[in-house]
Amino acid sequence: MKKKKASGIDGISIEIIKELHDMNPDILHYTYNKCLELGIFPETWKKGKLIIFNKPGKDPSLPNAYRPTSLLSVLGKILDKLLVFRITHLLHKNNKLHKQQHGFRNGRSCKTANFRLWQAINIALQERVPATILSLDDEEVWNFDKQRGVPQGSCRGPLFWNLVMDTALDLPLPQGSRIQTYADDIIVVIRGKDKEEIERKGNAILEKLLAWGAEYKLPFNIQKTFQMPITFGGRLNLRNPPIISINNHTIQVVNNIKYLGVTWDCCLTFTKHFKALRDKTDSLTYKLSTVANEFYSKRSGLFRKIYYGAIEPYLLFGVGSWSNRLKLKKIRDSLNSLQRRPLIKITKAYRTISTEALQVIAGIVPIDIKAK
């Protein structure tokens, strides 16, 4: 467990536990083995201190504008982790972890989720058939009543959530549909021979998901449910999109959706994503260079290290979703332009210099080549 984490109401920190383990490891070994042997989770370790955070930009007068988290006992968290390790090992051994769940899984991440989404879309592009994306968000993912669930901040919460969500991933869907999740974010890609077939499939899928949600008391948030038709290739358009409904409410049609840090657009140009990335990269470059100049001004070449360690990985985030579009010059140019401000900082060149010249002078590989 990481150091400097807040302790529970008992005041026992992870540093104290580690010191105790170094002095006499048998105490903890015996205690936890006995808990596992007897099937006991001490009641005092279940108690936590509830902390409420106001969500940024939310009206503080609204109940859902707050995010609760629990400061739990470190001793309980350790037992929690032991249970999670054992259950996860059992599930992995018996192939019970769903391959379409990308959240809270070793070897899975936002990157793998975006890459799988691109693969699902690419199937439709290869088959030259229309496709649309449904993005669904659960309304009260962690808002369980006291009779079920676990406190947010627990180690086993993500595992138990995945076990619930895996049942949704196992729902029988119409052929040509693909569902994947990252924690509570559900994405469905639907392809069909025409708009009408996509409508039939989409409404059938939502009926199944709504029935699943009702069974597990997890209503979907209509305000956060969107449809984005793939207009690339001209097989669908935003003026006459497929009509898909949830609880008799037609799902809002949008021209872009943000999925796990990557902004997807209906034309698959990722223009909006790169624009937002440029603004954030420029801001990040300015802030890092200010700190570097203030405290490490005598260390030449420091910003080059900052570029490789912080900025370049940031630029390449989500590469699995947009790298296949780099054959388009417009996308390559958009991506390479993101390097300008960091490279000007490294080379100390004039702002009128071209991006290509900056890459040569700095000796840094163009970001579009790095992304391939």
Side-chain angles (χ1 to χ4, degrees):
M1 296 180 67
K2 295 181 179 180
K3 295 182 179 180
K4 298 183 180 180
K5 289 286 187 178
S7 59
I9 57 177
D10 55 15
I12 301 175
S13 66
I14 185 63
E15 288 81 8
I16 295 176
I17 299 298
K18 288 188 175 182
E19 189 69 23
L20 174 62
H21 183 266
D22 291 340
M23 294 176 60
N24 192 342
D26 292 340
I27 295 177
L28 294 178
H29 292 171
Y30 177 82
T31 301
Y32 288 118
N33 283 328
K34 208 64 179 177
C35 287
L36 294 172
E37 178 186 340
L38 299 175
I40 293 175
F41 201 109
E43 288 296 325
T44 55
W45 292 357
K46 297 179 183 179
K47 297 178 181 179
K49 183 179 181 181
L50 185 65
I51 305 295
I52 305 294
F53 294 99
N54 181 226
K55 297 178 182 178
K58 298 290 186 178
D59 184 355
S61 64
L62 299 176
N64 61 358
Y66 296 88
R67 178 179 289 110
T69 189
S70 299
L71 300 182
L72 302 171
S73 167
V74 174
L75 290 166
K77 282 187 174 182
I78 295 173
L79 180 56
D80 215 356
K81 277 185 175 290
L82 290 174
L83 293 172
V84 169
F85 289 153
R86 292 191 174 201
I87 296 173
T88 302
H89 173 73
L90 180 64
L91 293 171
H92 182 73
K93 181 179 178 181
N94 292 280
N95 197 28
K96 296 296 184 180
L97 297 173
H98 206 287
K99 62 181 180 180
Q100 293 301 102
Q101 173 60 266
H102 295 268
F104 313 127
R105 291 278 307 276
N106 288 332
R108 303 294 176 89
S109 64
C110 298
K111 294 181 181 179
T112 61
N114 273 295
F115 178 66
R116 294 301 182 188
L117 176 55
W118 164 255
Q119 285 185 322
I121 295 172
N122 194 45
I123 292 174
L125 299 180
Q126 295 292 329
E127 295 178 354
R128 299 182 181 277
V129 296
T132 194
I133 298 175
L134 297 182
S135 173
L136 300 93
D137 188 30
D138 189 85
E139 190 170 33
E140 296 178 16
V141 175
W142 296 104
N143 194 21
F144 296 123
D145 60 45
K146 64 181 180 180
Q147 300 300 322
R148 63 193 183 108
V150 294
Q152 187 162 344
S154 69
C155 301
R156 64 193 181 278
L159 171 64
F160 289 167
W161 171 253
N162 276 1
L163 293 178
V164 172
M165 186 56 73
D166 282 359
T167 59
L169 295 172
D170 286 328
L171 291 174
L173 301 183
Q175 187 176 3
S177 306
R178 179 169 177 171
I179 184 173
Q180 68 177 54
T181 61
Y182 185 96
D184 61 313
D185 290 325
I186 302 176
I187 283 284
V188 184
V189 178
I190 308 169
R191 65 182 192 275
K193 62 181 181 181
D194 52 33
K195 181 173 74 76
E196 288 71 24
E197 183 176 354
I198 289 178
E199 288 178 348
R200 290 194 298 271
K201 289 181 178 180
N203 287 306
I205 290 169
L206 287 185
E207 285 183 9
K208 291 179 180 291
L209 287 174
L210 286 175
W212 170 85
E215 180 181 354
Y216 289 94
K217 299 181 181 179
L218 295 170
F220 288 101
N221 190 340
I222 298 176
Q223 303 301 321
K224 293 185 179 181
T225 301
F226 305 103
Q227 178 195 179
M228 188 186 78
I230 303 300
T231 61
F232 177 78
R235 297 178 184 90
L236 291 177
N237 64 75
L238 297 176
R239 288 173 294 181
N240 185 28
I243 305 300
I244 301 176
S245 303
I246 181 171
N247 285 336
N248 297 321
H249 293 275
T250 301
I251 292 178
Q252 181 182 354
V253 176
V254 296
N255 59 12
N256 68 83
I257 58 172
K258 189 170 184 179
Y259 180 59
L260 304 177
V262 177
T263 302
W264 294 73
D265 61 89
C266 58
C267 298
L268 301 179
T269 63
F270 296 95
T271 302
K272 187 171 183 178
H273 173 73
F274 290 136
K275 184 180 183 302
L277 196 59
R278 179 185 295 108
D279 295 339
K280 292 180 180 179
T281 302
D282 289 348
S283 176
L284 180 63
T285 300
Y286 173 76
K287 292 176 182 178
L288 290 175
S289 62
T290 300
V291 173
N293 290 335
E294 180 72 21
F295 298 101
Y296 308 101
S297 58
K298 295 181 179 180
R299 294 179 58 182
S300 60
L302 176 62
F303 197 78
R304 182 183 294 271
K305 294 181 181 179
I306 292 176
Y307 171 81
Y308 283 121
I311 297 176
E312 187 174 85
Y314 186 76
L315 293 175
L316 291 173
F317 181 81
V319 64
S321 54
W322 45 258
S323 62
N324 290 282
R325 305 293 290 155
L326 289 176
K327 59 185 177 181
L328 299 178
K329 186 177 184 301
K330 180 181 179 180
I331 293 182
R332 292 199 304 272
D333 291 344
S334 295
L335 186 59
N336 282 322
S337 68
L338 301 178
Q339 285 183 301
R340 282 195 59 82
R341 185 179 287 270
L343 294 188
I344 287 175
K345 182 64 183 178
I346 292 173
T347 61
K348 299 181 180 179
Y350 290 109
R351 295 182 182 274
T352 54
I353 191 172
S354 67
T355 302
E356 292 81 1
L358 281 170
Q359 292 164 341
V360 173
I361 296 172
I364 290 179
V365 178
I367 199 71
D368 66 315
I369 296 177
K370 202 68 175 289
K372 292 181 180 179

